[in-house]
Each structure stands twice: as C-alpha cells, then as structure tokens.
Amino acid sequence: MTDFRPYPKSQQLKSKRVKLTQKQKGDIIDAVDKQVKERSRGICESCGDKRAIDRAHLTGRTHIDHRTQVYDLAHLCKECHVMFDGTIEGIRMRRLLAAIINHALELPGNSRNYKETDGSVFDG
C-alpha cells in the first residue's frame, strides 16, 4: 500500500503558524528603535542625567499582544534599566509609566482605542 499525499512533502513540512510568538512580539524593529532614540535624544528617560544605552519594555513580552511599538519602550541608562527590572520600586514605576502612556493613547480623538469620557482625563 502506498502513502496518499494530497500535497507535496515541501508543503507538509512548511510551518502553518499564524500567530506571532512572544519573542516575535517583543522584537524591536529598526524603525521603532530609531523613534525611541529620537524621542529620548540619547538621555535616560527615567533619571534624565545619564546617557541612555538600553531599551526597556514597559509592558513585558508575556503581556504584550502586538508587535513592540514606540509606546511600549523606554530608553534608559544601565542603572535605571536594572532598577526597572530588579526592584519593587522600579517595577511599580514601569507599570505606572505604561498605564500613563496607555491612558494617553486612549484619549478622545486618538485612533488607537477611541473611548469617550466624561469629566477628567483621568476617568478610567
């Protein structure tokens, strides 16, 4: 008996994955990297004193549901990046920055997630 193969072996072995992997979502493309560096002008966005050399995800790769965008990153010096990732205060700061950025992107008139609010811009 012969094996029935309705399509060639090359198609059978080809990956059929449609969704992006977490690594692919967290990868920083050159255009986004350039925008982050232009935004920071080479100065740490946390302390404002030192030269920024690291890009830190404000939203972790495990929680991100899209490709990394400019608003998902902060341009930081080495010390601030270690603080953002390794201390309770840094993690709280990172979450606060992410919440502020996400809220700003959801203000009326912004095309990302238009949501009408009444009263203060901090209504949630």
Side-chain angles (χ1 to χ4, degrees), residues 26-44:
D27 286 344
I28 303 168
I29 62 173
D30 292 337
V32 171
D33 185 44
K34 183 179 177 184
Q35 290 174 334
V36 168
K37 289 176 179 177
E38 286 174 0
R39 182 184 68 198
S40 71
R41 297 183 185 150
I43 304 297
C44 177

Side-chain angles (χ1 to χ4, degrees), residues 16-34:
K16 294 179 177 109
R17 185 172 193 57
V18 176
K19 293 169 98 177
L20 296 172
T21 65
Q22 290 304 123
K23 182 178 183 336
Q24 290 170 326
K25 291 176 185 178
D27 286 344
I28 303 168
I29 62 173
D30 292 337
V32 171
D33 185 44
K34 183 179 177 184

Side-chain angles (χ1 to χ4, degrees), residues 38-53:
E38 286 174 0
R39 182 184 68 198
S40 71
R41 297 183 185 150
I43 304 297
C44 177
E45 294 181 300
S46 178
C47 67
D49 292 333
K50 298 179 183 158
R51 184 169 168 256
I53 55 173

Side-chain angles (χ1 to χ4, degrees), residues 6-113:
Y7 48 95
K9 188 74 168 180
S10 61
Q11 262 186 322
Q12 292 176 14
L13 297 176
K14 189 176 179 184
S15 175
K16 294 179 177 109
R17 185 172 193 57
V18 176
K19 293 169 98 177
L20 296 172
T21 65
Q22 290 304 123
K23 182 178 183 336
Q24 290 170 326
K25 291 176 185 178
D27 286 344
I28 303 168
I29 62 173
D30 292 337
V32 171
D33 185 44
K34 183 179 177 184
Q35 290 174 334
V36 168
K37 289 176 179 177
E38 286 174 0
R39 182 184 68 198
S40 71
R41 297 183 185 150
I43 304 297
C44 177
E45 294 181 300
S46 178
C47 67
D49 292 333
K50 298 179 183 158
R51 184 169 168 256
I53 55 173
D54 288 348
R55 296 167 322 254
H57 279 86
L58 297 175
T59 306
R61 288 181 190 227
T62 57
H63 301 290
I64 201 167
D65 60 353
H66 56 274
R67 283 199 181 264
T68 300
Q69 299 293 320
V70 174
Y71 53 82
D72 294 321
L73 299 170
H75 203 199
L76 306 173
C77 65
K78 193 66 164 174
E79 291 81 15
C80 288
H81 194 180
V82 169
M83 188 257 316
F84 264 49
D85 289 344
T87 65
I88 297 296
E89 295 82 14
I91 293 168
R92 287 181 182 150
M93 173 77 86
R94 188 179 69 213
R95 288 180 182 161
L96 177 64
L97 285 173
I100 290 169
I101 290 168
N102 286 328
H103 185 76
L105 291 173
E106 293 172 358
L107 290 176
N110 191 314
S111 62
R112 182 169 179 232
N113 286 324

